[in-house]
Amino acid sequence: MTTKKTSGRSHGFRHKSRSVMTKRAPRGVSFLLREYAPGDRALVIIDPRQHKGLPHRRYHGKVGRVVESGRRSVTLEVKLGKKTKTLITRLDHVKPFGG
C-alpha cells in the first residue's frame, strides 16, 4: 500500500497572503456609510480585521463595477484576464474608485 506524501505546508484560503493581510493604520467607520449605486466603480482592498465576506487575495487591488448594493454587502463584476467574475463582499473590503 502506498501513501501519498504531503509537502507539509498549508494550502488554505489565506496562504501566501501575509503582506496583503497586514494593515497598520487605524480605520474609522465612514467607509461603512458610503452608498454604492449600480454602475459605480469600486476598488477591492482587503481589510484583515473583518473576516466575514473576505474576498480571495487574487482580487486585492482590482477594480470592479457595482452590480448590486445591499445593506452590508456589495456585488461587483471584476475582470480577471479574459473572464468576468462576480464577487460578493462586505463593505469593509471595498472603497470607491475615483480614477
Side-chain angles (χ1 to χ4, degrees), residues 62-82:
K62 301 280 189 234
V63 177
R65 190 177 57 81
V66 176
V67 177
E68 185 180 357
S69 181
R71 196 166 39 122
R72 292 189 186 118
S73 66
V74 65
T75 305
L76 301 170
E77 282 187 347
V78 181
K79 287 211 38 138
L80 274 180
K82 295 179 182 178

Side-chain angles (χ1 to χ4, degrees), residues 3-89:
T3 59
K4 186 177 178 183
K5 285 187 117 180
T6 58
S7 65
R9 70 178 179 87
S10 172
H11 297 277
F13 186 76
R14 294 171 67 157
H15 84 288
K16 288 187 165 182
S17 61
R18 183 183 300 259
S19 62
V20 174
M21 299 293 183
T22 52
K23 298 277 194 262
R24 290 177 183 83
R27 193 172 186 184
V29 292
S30 62
F31 63 95
L32 292 173
L33 301 174
R34 289 199 179 106
E35 293 184 7
Y36 296 93
D40 289 351
R41 293 172 72 191
L43 183 64
V44 179
I45 298 293
I46 294 174
D47 185 8
R49 290 165 286 210
Q50 176 58 261
H51 296 216
K52 288 184 175 182
L54 188 77
H56 194 271
R57 65 185 181 88
R58 77 172 61 101
Y59 296 104
H60 185 77
K62 301 280 189 234
V63 177
R65 190 177 57 81
V66 176
V67 177
E68 185 180 357
S69 181
R71 196 166 39 122
R72 292 189 186 118
S73 66
V74 65
T75 305
L76 301 170
E77 282 187 347
V78 181
K79 287 211 38 138
L80 274 180
K82 295 179 182 178
K83 295 180 181 179
T84 302
K85 301 281 191 164
T86 302
L87 180 67
I88 302 170
T89 185

